[in-house]
């Protein structure tokens, strides 16, 4: 780790490592380790944020962007004069009670004691304070509407909480005689709040407030925008994130297809888990529904009339049904009310429950859909309507993020800003274009900046990390890589090796732990360890060129490089027409295009293809979860597909992935594979152990 770049404060949190047992180390460069680990599973992490290109994009839009009105897409937001603000306020109904507020603090943590003292010294009397929730994510003390406080009676603010503070400049009623006073109050507020002012009707909520800016405002509809700053274009910041989906780009909903997991079964037989004959509370409701609407509970769910299926899922609306339930003693009781529907029942229980287990169980029926407010762009409407580029060819940040990296690189290489913006944006554009070029050079031109990091394959993530290091342009650094070729197709392997040689050509040292033959042959110097593993290893068997390794008879690596030993592939078993098959139809998760795939059973089947072609999606996201669901072991819903055939020919499924086998310090190989359980049982069964009651 490049510890020298960290502050003394940051270093105290690093785990102290024991000094290595060596006599002397010379020529040690600052080192950067690129470990073999999976990408971030944070849903907020994208290709743009991982490569830091999104940070440069935010800066570019904040410094050179031109805002437009969302209701009038061709209308640039111009600065508003005080007289325009007065006219807009005077258009309110007469006698509207109004506060003129100066927003001096927006979403900032702290107690702000010094600010309150300054405001009091300047003659202001009142402030409105809104709290946005505490730093630990809890909403304790949150007050989104805001409260008015006398400056000499302001409560003590939580320093770890974000606050918005507006100074009350004036309070007045709208009528013909206030124009001069209103103009003066607006001037005062604009000077106090760096060109911003809020006109808040006192009898209405903050959503009815009129925001004015002496910088940006629509002359047609009074839409105005605060100052452009980088965090406005960040979906990971409350100022820029879409308020509907909180910057995730999608919202959760209870998916009827996941709720009705077995549409070929009847409701009584378990078409919907928890609403079958085993749960009499809900099943008695279904029986009453069947009597009211005249349908058969023993029919498969998919054969029920569409109207009945909709009522079962989404409720009867305002229509009431008489429900008859039997108590444990067999005594009937009746109740007349609308039926809420299975979907709404799940939504209510998910919302009201305090049990984490219930929430986890219900979450299995949820699915994501594109946020209707931001259309998946993750950003609030202010940020979505700022564009960069020459007039007529300018683009918003969300559109650039949706392009492939190849398209984005082409656009930035030909982007020419005009006037003063050209001088400001030149260096930023050069950095963005350079980083995009490196990503394209390692074969990732088909990805987009908005692509979520947790959907990347291992090979894609590995190359993104390497391209980010090349883009940083460091020299004189030692890069340490742990088996970077794992999971890569041969074509991508060539790109990886060219990336590593490029790092070397920049003036860096590249140290790679690797078994891949191409990587060994591409190395300038090879160090071969041996002889065997564990206690039989720990020696340098040979070092030097490929020929030096081949010429060393003790080197196992040299024996394979020289052709004296070969890997035996074994005898392939033929696949015939009579060979049983597992058939997956209509797989369409992520980039899969409605695949129909047949997997021969009792055979070794390999799924191959270039990095990012959909191998992991097909097996890990669709096939394995579908099999687990068939055997009742599913923890998550399988990826989109039509159906799975032939699973009844299998006795079970074992899913082995690359996740670590155990994170606890008490875990070891014997405990993980279960051998330790058998050993303990053996000792407990010994006569002396039984005699002593062990």
């Amino acid at each position: 780790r490049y510890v020298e770049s960290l502050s003394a404060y940051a270093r105290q949190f690093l785990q102290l490592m024991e000094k290595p047992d060596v006599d002397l180390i010379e020529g040690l460069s600052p080192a950067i380790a690129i470990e073999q680990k999976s990408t971030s599973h944070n849903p907020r992490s994208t290709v743009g944020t991982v490569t830091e290109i999104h940070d440069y994009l935010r800066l570019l839009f904040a410094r050179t962007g031109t805002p437009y009105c969302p209701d009038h897409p061709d209308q640039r937001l111009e600065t508003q004069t005080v007289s325009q603000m007065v006219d807009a306020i005077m258009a309110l109904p007469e006698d509207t009670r109004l506060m003129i507020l100066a927003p001096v603090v927006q979403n900032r943590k702290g107690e702000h004691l010094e600010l309150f003292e300054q405001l009091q010294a300047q003659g202001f009397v009142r402030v409105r304070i809104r709290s946005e929730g505490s730093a630990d994510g809890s909403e304790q003390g949150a007050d989104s509407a805001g409260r008015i406080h006398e400056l000499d009676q302001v409560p003590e603010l939580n320093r770890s909480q974000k606050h918005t503070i507006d100074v009350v400049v004036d309070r007045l009623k709208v009528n013909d005689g206030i124009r001069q006073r209103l103009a003066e109050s607006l001037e005062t507020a604009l000077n106090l709040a760096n060109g911003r002012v809020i006109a808040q009707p006192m009898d209405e909520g903050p959503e009815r407030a009129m925001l004015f800016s002496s910088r940006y405002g629509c002359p047609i509809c009074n839409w105005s925008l605060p100052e452009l700053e980088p965090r406005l274009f960040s979906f990971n910041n409350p100022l820029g994130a879409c308020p509907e989906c909180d910057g995730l780009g999608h919202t959760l909903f209870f998916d009827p297809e996941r709720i009705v997991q077995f549409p070929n079964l009847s409701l009584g037989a378990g078409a919907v888990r928890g609403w079958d004959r085993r749960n009499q509370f809900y099943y008695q409701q279904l029986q009453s529904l069947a009597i009211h609407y005249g349908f058969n509970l023993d029919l498969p769910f998919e054969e029920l009339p569409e109207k009945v299926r909709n009522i079962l899922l989404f409720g009867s609306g305002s229509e009431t049904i008489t429900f008859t339930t039997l108590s444990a003693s067999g005594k009937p009781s009746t109740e007349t009310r609308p039926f809420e529907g299975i979907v709404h029942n799940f939504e209510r229980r998910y919302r009201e429950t305090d049990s984490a287990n219930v929430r986890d169980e219900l979450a299995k029926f949820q699915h994501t859909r594109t946020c209707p407010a931001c259309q998946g762009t993750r950003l609030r409407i202010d940020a979505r309507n700022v564009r960069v580029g020459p007039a007529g060819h300018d683009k918003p940040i969300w559109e650039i993020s949706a392009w492939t990296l190849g398209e984005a690189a082409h656009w930035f290489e030909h982007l020419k800003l005009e006037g003063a913006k050209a001088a400001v944006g030149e260096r930023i554009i050069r950095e963005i274009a350079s980083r995009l070029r490196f990503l394209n050079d390692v074969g990732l031109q088909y990805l987009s900046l908005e692509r979520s990091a947790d959907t990347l394959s291992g090979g894609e993530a590995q190359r993104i990390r390497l391209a980010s290091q090349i883009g940083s342009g460091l020299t004189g650094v030692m890069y340490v890589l742990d088996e970077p070729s794992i999971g890569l197709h041969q074509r991508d392997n060539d790109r990886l090796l060219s990336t590593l040689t490029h790092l070397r050509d920049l003036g860096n040292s590249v140290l790679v732990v690797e078994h891949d033959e191409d990587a060994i042959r591409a190395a300038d110097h090879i160090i071969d360890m041996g002889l065997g593993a564990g206690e039989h290893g720990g020696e340098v068997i040979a070092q030097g060129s490929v020929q030096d390794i081949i010429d060393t008879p003790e080197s196992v690596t040299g024996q394979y490089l020289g052709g004296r030993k070969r890997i035996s592939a074994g005898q392939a078993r033929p696949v015939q027409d009579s060979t049983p098959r597992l058939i997956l139809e209509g797989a369409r998760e992520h980039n899969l295009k409605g695949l129909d795939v047949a997997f021969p059973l009792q055979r070794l089947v390999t799924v191959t293809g270039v990095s990012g072609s959909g191998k992991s999606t097909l097996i890990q996201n669709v096939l394995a979860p579908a099999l687990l669901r068939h055997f009742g072991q599913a923890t998550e819903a399988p990826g989109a597909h039509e159906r799975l055939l032939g699973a009844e020919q299998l006795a079970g499924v074992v899913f082995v992935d690359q996740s670590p086998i155990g994170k606890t310090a008490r875990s070891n190989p014997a405990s993980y594979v279960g051998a330790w359980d058998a050993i303990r049982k053996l000792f407990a069964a010994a006569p002396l152990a039984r005699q002593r009651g062990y």
Side-chain angles (χ1 to χ4, degrees):
R1 295 298 191 282
Y2 199 169
V3 180
E4 289 85 349
S5 68
L6 301 175
S7 66
Y9 175 77
R11 288 186 210 182
Q12 67 178 321
F13 298 107
L14 292 177
Q15 182 180 357
L16 293 177
M17 298 177 70
E18 294 182 11
K19 291 182 179 179
D21 185 16
V22 296
D23 298 322
L24 179 68
I25 299 178
E26 289 183 306
L28 190 62
S29 310
I32 293 176
I34 303 178
E35 296 174 316
Q36 179 63 248
K37 61 180 180 181
S38 58
T39 50
S40 168
H41 293 293
N42 187 340
R44 296 186 173 278
S45 189
T46 65
V47 170
T49 59
V50 168
T51 57
E52 298 176 3
I53 292 174
H54 190 71
D55 296 335
Y56 286 101
L57 269 181
R58 293 192 295 119
L59 188 61
L60 180 69
F61 273 78
R63 298 293 175 259
T64 68
T66 303
Y68 286 78
C69 175
D71 298 321
H72 306 91
D74 297 326
Q75 180 64 54
R76 290 189 177 202
L77 296 191
E78 307 293 347
T79 56
Q80 292 168 295
T81 63
V82 172
S83 61
Q84 287 174 323
M85 299 179 197
V86 170
D87 291 340
I89 293 173
M90 293 301 293
L92 292 170
E94 192 166 349
D95 289 336
T96 299
R97 298 194 311 140
L98 205 65
M99 280 192 300
I100 304 300
L101 302 167
V104 290
V105 170
Q106 188 169 14
N107 284 333
R108 285 214 317 262
K109 295 177 185 177
E111 297 176 319
H112 306 291
L113 298 176
E114 192 175 331
L115 171 67
F116 296 139
E117 290 175 7
Q118 290 174 357
L119 292 173
Q120 214 166 357
Q122 292 170 17
F124 295 102
V125 180
R126 299 176 185 86
V127 290
R128 182 176 74 174
I129 301 175
R130 287 176 287 164
S131 304
E132 300 294 339
S134 59
D136 61 5
S138 69
E139 291 298 320
Q140 188 176 5
D143 182 9
S144 57
R147 295 183 185 178
I148 305 294
H149 300 278
E150 304 279 338
L151 270 170
D152 55 359
Q153 296 177 6
V154 172
E156 186 177 335
L157 300 183
N158 184 345
R159 67 168 59 194
S160 64
Q161 210 167 358
K162 290 182 179 178
H163 308 285
T164 296
I165 301 173
D166 308 319
V167 181
V168 181
V169 175
D170 201 356
R171 299 193 291 183
L172 37 78
K173 274 188 181 180
V174 175
N175 57 58
D176 290 338
I178 66 162
R179 277 187 174 272
Q180 184 60 35
R181 175 180 168 184
L182 179 59
E184 291 173 357
S185 298
L186 289 171
E187 286 276 11
T188 303
L190 289 169
N191 291 333
L192 191 63
N194 294 322
R196 290 179 297 150
V197 62
I198 299 170
Q200 172 68 61
M202 294 172 67
D203 298 325
E204 299 186 55
E207 68 279 356
R208 302 295 297 169
M210 300 172 72
L211 172 66
F212 298 106
S213 170
S214 60
R215 293 171 183 161
Y216 301 113
C218 177
I220 302 171
C221 65
N222 293 326
W223 172 274
S224 55
L225 189 70
E227 181 184 1
L228 296 183
E229 50 182 322
R231 60 183 181 155
L232 178 68
F233 302 97
S234 171
F235 44 80
N236 292 328
N237 188 295
L239 192 66
C242 167
E244 186 74 22
C245 63
D246 199 25
L248 292 173
H250 56 77
T251 54
L252 286 171
F253 76 106
F254 280 94
D255 186 354
E257 288 190 8
R258 293 192 173 191
I259 290 172
V260 187
Q261 290 191 348
F262 304 101
N264 57 323
L265 299 179
S266 67
L267 286 163
V272 179
R273 198 165 69 190
W275 286 70
D276 51 26
R277 287 188 178 88
R278 290 172 293 183
N279 189 327
Q280 282 300 306
F281 176 76
Y282 288 124
Y283 190 66
Q284 287 176 17
Q285 292 187 42
L286 296 179
Q287 287 175 318
S288 299
L289 278 176
I291 294 169
H292 184 89
Y293 289 107
F295 65 89
N296 187 352
L297 275 177
D298 293 323
L299 267 181
F301 184 88
E302 59 191 3
E303 294 180 18
L304 293 173
E306 185 179 357
K307 178 187 174 184
V308 170
R309 295 203 303 268
N310 284 332
I311 290 170
L312 285 165
L313 289 170
F314 302 108
S316 61
S318 57
E319 185 179 355
T320 57
I321 293 104
T322 300
F323 292 97
T324 303
T325 55
L326 297 174
S327 65
S329 60
K331 187 177 180 182
S333 62
T334 59
E335 180 187 9
T336 302
R337 56 175 171 79
F339 176 61
E340 67 176 340
I342 298 173
V343 171
H344 296 149
N345 173 274
F346 282 14
E347 290 172 347
R348 177 180 56 77
R349 288 164 56 200
Y350 187 82
R351 188 173 58 248
E352 295 176 356
T353 185
D354 294 325
S355 167
N357 289 335
V358 172
R359 289 178 72 89
D360 289 344
E361 192 62 32
L362 289 173
K364 294 176 183 177
F365 303 110
Q366 289 181 324
H367 200 36
T368 58
R369 63 182 164 200
T370 302
C371 172
C374 67
Q375 299 302 316
T377 62
R378 299 173 173 236
L379 295 167
R380 66 171 61 240
I381 195 167
D382 309 33
R384 298 202 303 272
N385 287 281
V386 179
R387 305 178 206 164
V388 159
H393 301 282
D394 47 1
K395 302 293 181 184
I397 190 169
W398 58 265
E399 189 174 334
I400 294 171
S401 297
W403 288 340
T404 64
L405 297 181
E407 293 169 337
H410 181 266
W411 191 77
F412 276 105
E413 284 168 2
H414 295 85
L415 176 61
K416 294 287 185 289
L417 299 180
E418 300 163 346
K421 291 180 178 179
V424 175
E426 182 185 1
R427 289 185 61 189
I428 307 173
I429 292 170
R430 194 165 61 239
E431 279 289 342
I432 294 172
S434 169
R435 288 167 185 266
L436 286 170
R437 190 166 58 251
F438 287 129
L439 287 167
N440 287 324
D441 287 345
V442 294
L444 297 174
Q445 66 280 353
Y446 58 90
L447 295 180
S448 63
L449 291 172
E450 69 175 7
R451 174 80 173 264
S452 182
D454 63 355
T455 66
L456 297 173
S457 70
E460 289 167 338
Q462 186 77 269
R463 282 178 285 156
I464 280 177
R465 282 198 290 269
L466 284 170
S468 300
Q469 291 300 331
I470 297 174
S472 65
L474 294 175
T475 58
V477 171
M478 175 180 284
Y479 287 94
V480 182
L481 293 92
D482 182 18
E483 301 187 26
S485 70
I486 282 184
L488 285 189
H489 189 273
Q490 211 59 36
R491 183 195 72 170
D492 305 312
N493 208 16
D494 294 341
R495 287 173 172 160
L496 170 77
L497 294 176
S498 65
T499 306
L500 297 181
T501 53
H502 183 82
L503 271 178
R504 175 200 64 192
D505 295 342
L506 286 173
N508 299 300
S509 306
V510 184
L511 187 61
V512 184
V513 177
E514 192 54 273
H515 306 285
D516 180 70
E517 182 176 353
D518 291 342
I520 294 172
R521 292 188 181 277
D524 301 315
H525 187 82
I526 306 165
I527 300 173
D528 186 31
M529 302 286 289
L531 291 165
E535 64 181 13
H536 305 295
E539 297 179 35
V540 175
I541 303 302
Q543 59 178 311
S545 65
V546 173
Q547 195 57 49
D548 292 333
I549 307 300
I550 293 173
D551 292 342
T552 305
E554 296 84 13
S555 171
V556 178
T557 308
Q559 292 170 22
Y560 281 93
L561 287 174
R564 298 192 296 277
K565 283 190 176 181
R566 297 184 185 278
I567 298 169
S568 173
Q571 185 66 38
R573 297 176 67 181
V575 178
Q576 299 161 333
D577 292 342
S578 59
T579 304
R581 285 170 171 80
L582 184 67
I583 300 172
L584 183 69
E585 294 183 350
R588 56 185 186 280
E589 187 78 357
H590 297 324
N591 63 335
L592 301 181
K593 297 176 176 62
L595 301 185
D596 295 338
V597 188
F599 301 92
L601 298 178
Q602 301 167 21
R603 299 292 186 274
L604 174 62
V605 182
T606 299
V607 179
T608 186
V610 297
S611 178
S613 58
K615 306 182 296 293
S616 298
T617 301
L618 177 65
I619 303 302
Q620 292 181 214
N621 296 8
V622 183
L623 178 65
L627 282 169
L628 288 168
R629 185 172 73 174
H630 174 81
F631 291 106
Q633 302 169 354
T635 55
E636 60 182 59
H641 67 286
E642 295 297 330
R643 56 180 180 164
L644 178 68
L645 304 173
E648 66 281 352
Q649 302 172 84
L650 300 172
V653 57
V654 178
F655 184 37
V656 182
D657 62 6
Q658 291 183 347
S659 57
I661 64 170
K663 294 183 178 179
T664 170
R666 295 182 175 274
S667 181
N668 59 41
S671 64
Y672 187 80
V673 301
W676 204 246
D677 296 342
I679 293 170
R680 291 187 299 112
K681 286 178 183 175
L682 178 66
F683 273 80
L688 186 59
R690 294 175 66 185
Q691 181 181 331
R692 293 180 178 177
Y694 292 162

